[in-house]
Amino acid sequence: MQTMRETAAEARAHRDTTERTIADIARFLQGHFSQRVTAHVAGIEDAKQVGKWCRALNAPRYEAEVRLRTAYQIFKLIEEGENPHTARAWMIGMNPQLEDESPLQAIADGHFKDVMAAARSYLQGDL
């Protein structure tokens, strides 16, 4: 069962994700993970597109935006419960709940709910 603090943290991460432009989110992810990793998470091959998104010169397609917003929201959720360093490490590290794939790879593969469940478990101290 989730505590009130966890529910509030999830609500804040969701609100923050909803209120940010995709350019803001692309800049954040590029800054924390690199342009190439951000492109991989978004499901595109041309990493230079991420720079264009960051500058609001164009916008990602729907599927890419969903992946980027998911990665951002989960990062912010982990960050709120821990800190930015731990959130980054959690996002790129192997995760036993995701069959030893990283949360970023699982997001790139479209396993959004699985990654959110793993994040909730981590914050609850289950893993």
Side-chain angles (χ1 to χ4, degrees):
M1 177 180 253
Q2 289 183 315
T3 66
M4 293 292 278
R5 180 176 174 202
E6 291 164 346
T7 302
E10 285 189 40
R12 283 189 296 275
H14 175 71
R15 177 176 289 282
D16 185 28
T17 303
T18 303
E19 293 174 349
R20 298 268 175 215
T21 66
I22 196 59
D24 291 339
I25 289 172
R27 276 191 300 274
F28 179 91
L29 294 174
Q30 178 179 269
H32 282 80
F33 300 111
S34 83
Q35 192 172 62
R36 184 174 301 198
V37 170
T38 302
H40 176 71
V41 170
I44 64 167
E45 291 185 23
D46 182 9
K48 291 180 183 181
Q49 283 297 319
V50 174
K52 292 178 182 179
W53 299 339
C54 291
R55 295 186 308 277
L57 297 177
N58 61 27
R61 293 183 181 183
Y62 174 80
E63 296 82 9
E65 182 173 350
V66 169
R67 287 181 175 88
L68 296 175
R69 287 187 180 279
T70 299
Y72 179 84
Q73 183 173 343
I74 293 171
F75 184 102
K76 296 306 278 185
L77 178 61
I78 297 291
E79 179 184 48
E80 182 156 333
E82 298 289 336
N83 58 61
H85 170 78
T86 300
R88 184 180 188 282
W90 188 87
M91 294 291 286
I92 65 174
M94 289 191 327
N95 189 299
Q97 286 189 307
L98 301 171
E99 298 181 12
D100 293 330
E101 286 209 327
S102 73
L104 285 179
Q105 182 60 52
I107 292 167
D109 293 341
H111 303 291
F112 311 134
K113 289 182 180 183
D114 294 338
V115 178
M116 182 57 87
R120 288 177 180 135
S121 290
Y122 178 78
L123 290 174
Q124 291 171 0
D126 295 340
L127 283 178

